[in-house]
Amino acid sequence: MKKRISITFNAPAVLTFVMICFVVTVVGILTHQASTTLLFTTYRASFLDPLTYLRFFTHVFGHAGWSHFLGNMSYLLLLGPMLEEKHGSKLLVIAMVITAFVTGLINFIFFPGVALCGASGIVFAFIVLASFTGFKRGEIPLTFILVLVIYIGQQVVDGLFTKDNISQMAHIVGGLVGAVVGYVANRK
């Protein structure tokens, strides 16, 4: 008798995150980004507006369009299942929430004229977290050092010398969160 092949929901945290981002992106496109700006983009706003605090966390779900969405989701779907299998859903959700809050807060405080949306901070957290895969006590994986130099170094250089709509700050902060989470998770 042949065994049936079934589709599994193998990475619940990552797949749920991707589905939320997909719905938010579709609604954003249908509303000409009004919903994205209102609920899924962090920017300098009044502390009296309760949405200001919500957006510190929800900005990671919003994307400026399909190419922005697809770029971020490709990395998340590539790295996320491996990380979720190794570290568990809870740790990944914690890393995503911390990354969202820290990037949202830093953007709010230090970049008052910049609106921030998208999951690229989480992507960079996952990239750096993935480089910790071979971590052992008393050792620093060469892959971790190379990832920091290549990915984070490029963001520092781009942040200093390139004028574009990409938040290098979110990438750098996400990478730092990934490094801290990776170190703490692999110490045990």
Side-chain angles (χ1 to χ4, degrees), residues 53-70:
Y53 304 100
L54 178 69
R55 288 187 292 255
F56 285 156
F57 297 95
T58 61
H59 69 93
V60 295
F61 299 123
H63 288 82
W66 284 119
S67 62
H68 188 208
F69 168 80
L70 292 172

Side-chain angles (χ1 to χ4, degrees), residues 91-167:
L91 183 83
L92 277 192
V93 170
I94 290 168
M96 289 188 273
V97 169
I98 290 170
T99 302
F101 177 70
V102 173
T103 56
L105 186 63
I106 288 174
N107 188 75
F108 183 88
I109 293 170
F110 296 107
F111 302 96
V114 176
L116 177 67
C117 74
S120 59
I122 292 172
V123 166
F124 272 76
F126 279 20
I127 289 169
V128 174
L129 184 56
S131 72
F132 265 96
T133 304
F135 179 85
K136 294 177 186 152
R137 186 176 291 276
E139 298 178 0
I140 299 174
L142 180 58
T143 53
F144 169 71
I145 295 168
L146 292 173
V147 164
L148 281 184
V149 169
I150 293 168
Y151 279 95
I152 305 302
Q154 177 188 1
Q155 296 310 303
V156 170
V157 169
D158 286 352
L160 293 173
F161 300 111
T162 305
K163 297 290 181 210
D164 55 21
N165 286 333
I166 297 171
S167 176

Side-chain angles (χ1 to χ4, degrees), residues 11-109:
V14 172
L15 290 169
T16 301
F17 184 84
V18 169
M19 286 189 277
I20 293 169
C21 290
F22 175 77
V23 170
V24 168
T25 301
V26 168
V27 172
I29 289 168
L30 293 175
T31 63
H32 303 285
Q33 300 298 13
S35 62
T36 303
T37 301
L38 178 66
L39 299 171
F40 304 105
T41 302
T42 187
Y43 45 84
R44 184 68 62 90
S46 170
F47 281 119
L48 299 176
D49 181 0
L51 293 179
T52 296
Y53 304 100
L54 178 69
R55 288 187 292 255
F56 285 156
F57 297 95
T58 61
H59 69 93
V60 295
F61 299 123
H63 288 82
W66 284 119
S67 62
H68 188 208
F69 168 80
L70 292 172
N72 282 334
M73 296 310 112
S74 297
Y75 279 105
L76 290 178
L77 290 170
L78 179 67
L79 298 168
M82 170 193 65
L83 293 171
E84 198 162 344
E85 183 177 326
K86 178 175 172 56
H87 299 291
S89 301
K90 182 179 177 183
L91 183 83
L92 277 192
V93 170
I94 290 168
M96 289 188 273
V97 169
I98 290 170
T99 302
F101 177 70
V102 173
T103 56
L105 186 63
I106 288 174
N107 188 75
F108 183 88
I109 293 170

